[in-house]
Amino acid sequence: MCKKINIILCLCMALLHGSAAPAKDPIKALIVTGQNNHNWQASSVILQKYLNESGIFQADIVISPPKGEDMSSFLPDFSAYGAVVLDYNGASWSEAANAAFLEYVKKGGGVVVYHAADNAFPQWKEYNEITGLGGWEGRNEKDGPYVYFADGKEVRDSSPGAGGSHGRQHEYTVVSHTPRHPIMKGLPAKWTHAKDELYDRLRGPARNMTILATAYSDKSTGGTGRDEPVLMTVSWGKGRIFHTVLGHVGNEAEHPAIECPGFIVTFLRGAEWAATGKVSVKAPDHFPEK
Ligand code: ZN
């Protein structure tokens, strides 16, 4: 079902942002990838396609050296871009690359933290402030509270325990909590997300962070029984960060999680908001509303 809607959405986006779009210079976006415990070769190209077909962005991909190789040559020119999309979960960057990234965000650069990018760099304090929440890689109570929703309210829970987990992949309902936020405005209050991982028990500094949407992590699918954050914004320095935990891409032939219209539209709106503070990407007519 999701696939059909996806085709309709793509047509809608082409109509909205294709020939009818004003002749504005596209925002340059940089997808950072090259190491990940996911199929980054597929995901980075899919994300690039979404960005380029939106009519709003012109996206490049920068690929790090492979795992285990010298990272000193890896120094993306972050400052040349309006949005940096992190599709990276691998070896530490050089100090120069880290400093260039922080300088970019501090000066107002837009960042999209995509799926397992919130697993990366557990020791890098500022990176974890930028992602807000993260998981795995030894994260626990030292890294910050668990953050989730209970009875419609945000909970910060400092009890000890590992950070980051997910149950088995399944379709689930995404619930918006910020209908007036530019990224969420005009989207339904709830929609069905295609089969995906549902991250849970994320922990982090969670400062200057707004949870835009949650999903209920059912114990029957190996979850927590909590409403777990799935879409967030963070501000760091002058930078705007959009964090989506959605969109798992593994080695299977099909990638329903990243192809779902709910993923695509929130990814594009989040990227545009991160780059500009505003959103022009329209909500699709055919949203998989619950
Ligand atoms: Zn995943």
Side-chain angles (χ1 to χ4, degrees):
M1 183 184 91
C2 228
K3 204 149 208 181
K4 273 184 205 150
I5 296 166
N6 188 11
I7 293 162
I8 295 165
L9 175 72
C10 289
L11 289 171
C12 291
M13 292 202 317
L15 286 171
L16 283 168
H17 295 291
S19 55
K24 245 167 81 182
D25 283 344
I27 301 162
K28 286 186 73 186
L30 181 67
I31 299 165
V32 180
T33 194
Q35 294 185 33
N36 207 310
N37 58 328
H38 288 73
N39 185 353
W40 61 265
Q41 292 90 340
S43 60
S44 58
V45 172
I46 294 169
L47 296 176
Q48 183 184 41
K49 176 172 164 283
Y50 294 158
L51 290 166
N52 286 343
E53 288 181 356
S54 73
I56 295 169
F57 292 98
Q58 182 268 308
D60 298 331
I61 298 177
V62 62
I63 297 172
S64 74
K67 194 178 174 186
E69 290 194 11
D70 177 25
M71 292 290 289
S72 61
S73 65
F74 183 65
L75 190 52
D77 185 11
F78 299 110
S79 65
Y81 292 88
V84 169
V85 178
L86 299 167
D87 183 12
Y88 183 91
N89 179 21
S92 295
W93 300 342
S94 67
E95 278 186 28
N98 285 3
F101 178 67
L102 296 183
E103 188 66 11
Y104 163 80
V105 184
K106 191 184 282 177
K107 285 187 169 164
V111 178
V112 177
V113 179
Y114 158 65
H115 197 60
D118 69 15
N119 300 190
F121 310 136
Q123 317 289 349
W124 183 7
K125 179 174 166 278
E126 293 86 353
Y127 183 83
N128 286 269
E129 291 169 0
I130 286 167
T131 59
L133 290 172
W136 295 272
E137 306 297 327
R139 284 177 173 85
N140 59 26
E141 60 275 12
K142 74 183 178 319
D143 299 288
Y146 295 117
V147 185
Y148 52 90
F149 266 59
D151 301 323
K153 289 207 176 85
E154 189 180 304
V155 176
R156 288 175 181 234
D157 171 357
S158 295
S159 58
S165 182
H166 60 74
R168 65 176 164 79
Q169 293 187 39
H170 61 291
E171 275 188 12
Y172 50 85
T173 303
V174 173
V175 179
S176 172
H177 293 276
T178 53
R180 280 192 273 237
H181 191 283
I183 296 172
M184 306 305 283
K185 204 173 175 182
L187 301 188
K190 295 176 182 193
W191 69 86
T192 303
H193 180 54
K195 186 181 175 189
D196 197 350
E197 291 167 345
L198 174 50
Y199 281 9
D200 64 51
R201 284 171 266 238
L202 298 179
R203 324 191 60 133
R207 285 199 288 273
N208 306 314
M209 183 181 88
T210 303
I211 295 175
L212 305 182
T214 58
Y216 181 66
S217 171
D218 201 316
K219 286 185 175 172
S220 71
T221 55
T224 53
R226 297 170 178 170
D227 294 303
E228 298 284 354
V230 295
L231 303 175
M232 293 153 267
T233 60
V234 177
S235 63
W236 195 89
K238 289 184 182 164
R240 280 179 299 269
I241 298 104
F242 170 68
H243 181 167
T244 177
V245 308
L246 307 176
H248 171 85
V249 174
N251 292 320
E252 304 81 10
E254 303 269 307
H255 311 299
I258 200 174
E259 290 174 357
C260 188
F263 174 85
I264 300 169
V265 77
T266 51
F267 169 73
L268 287 174
R269 292 172 76 128
E272 188 184 12
W273 176 82
T276 68
K278 295 182 181 139
V279 172
S280 68
V281 176
K282 301 281 188 292
D285 293 337
H286 302 274
F287 221 84
E289 192 162 355
K290 188 83 175 174

